[in-house]
Amino acid sequence: MQLTTRDLNRTLLARQHLVARTTSPTHDMVEHLVGLQAQENLPPFLSLAARLEDFDPYAVTRGLEDKSLARLVTLRGTIHLLTADDALTLRQWTQPCQERERKASQTVRPAMHIEGEEFTQALDKALADGPLPMKQLGEVLAASFPDAPPNALAHLARVTQPLAQLPPRGAWKQSGGVVLQRVDRWLERPLLSPDPAAIVRRYLRAFGPASTADIGAWSGLTGMASVVASMPDLVQHTGPDGKALYDVADGVITAGETPAPVRLLGTYDNVWLSHAARDRVTDPVKRKSWMGTNGGMANTVFLDGMLEGLWRVEDGRPVVVELFRTLSVTEQRELDDELARVADLLFR
């Protein structure tokens, strides 16, 4: 099919459940989205509330505590909230992202000389008796590597090994420092071998149609063209720029004229972090307004499927701080409803 920009916008929103909310369980939505970026505590909860009817934020807490969910560095080298299966799988697939960080990070640089196998053995020994806070982990590792600063050793562990951040970190309305344990040891299950083609199919079901560059931007990995080339079951569409876009054979294309309701999202959300160009849902000029707010610290207002405003929490309530265009009467009513809905979430 020849797809327009609005076709791609509405198809993305529909596959993200941002056109119509669903009654799926929280765990199933986290699985469908292939995780949620979660280096800040609130955005994953806002992302789930925007997609799920009757979302219970304590379902995330329960998932972290019963180990059906986990938090660790994976896609794009960032912390994600993931299902247990994805936590045991995606880190091996995305390890090249962490390897790039290892080579580039000024924090890790003082420990760069340490050999991998020697470090892995020391880390396993350090965590053998249980999880450790990140600072303490660095101090324990320093006993084996006294020529490297503890902070560098702790960060080397984070980028070279699959370490989960344990609750209460990431739980609803709880605070806690970064406490780490090997994800397989924490989940009491072995690491799983990733199937790149299967992961790409899941990406397309939630974010497609997409180019190989889009898949690379979402994952943080190179070489996606060869993965797609090995998948003859995919169908090929043409984007508005004439470039090839790939999709699963049963992927539904949502027409560009489909209405898109107002949604309030967090500082970061899958919907605009998962393509090489963010223009499916953000105008470049307006996106700069978001980026200009303390380096992208504002929450976002989406109108007619596009980033059109910023909001923040004041005294525990959501408050719109800037809109990039005038709202219609219907949009204002929907925005008021969404503000009330998020206020209810924040007071739970």
Side-chain angles (χ1 to χ4, degrees), residues 40 266-268 290-300 310-312:
E40 293 179 10
T267 314
Y268 306 104
W290 168 72
M291 289 298 297
T293 307
N294 297 325
M297 296 303 291
N299 299 312
T300 52
L310 306 174
W311 68 277
R312 65 172 177 256

Side-chain angles (χ1 to χ4, degrees), residues 17 22-33 48 51-56 59-60 69 83:
H17 295 283
T22 177
T23 57
S24 295
T26 295
H27 176 279
D28 292 359
M29 181 56 68
V30 175
E31 180 179 50
H32 170 69
L33 297 174
L48 290 166
R51 292 163 167 87
L52 296 175
E53 294 284 1
D54 302 319
F55 168 60
D56 175 11
V60 173
L69 299 175
T83 65

Side-chain angles (χ1 to χ4, degrees), residues 36-104:
L36 298 104
Q37 189 161 325
Q39 69 265 40
E40 293 179 10
N41 193 60
L42 185 59
F45 293 95
L46 296 172
S47 295
L48 290 166
R51 292 163 167 87
L52 296 175
E53 294 284 1
D54 302 319
F55 168 60
D56 175 11
Y58 293 100
V60 173
T61 302
R62 291 191 294 272
L64 291 170
E65 291 174 346
D66 68 21
K67 304 181 184 181
S68 60
L69 299 175
R71 291 167 48 92
L72 74 161
V73 175
T74 51
L75 301 160
R76 301 181 297 280
T78 55
I79 289 288
H80 274 66
L81 174 69
L82 301 157
T83 65
D85 281 351
D86 282 343
L88 293 164
T89 305
L90 289 178
R91 177 52 188 260
Q92 291 82 270
W93 190 54
T94 62
Q95 184 57 39
C97 300
Q98 283 65 256
E99 181 62 21
R100 289 198 300 271
E101 181 180 352
R102 185 184 73 85
K103 293 178 179 178

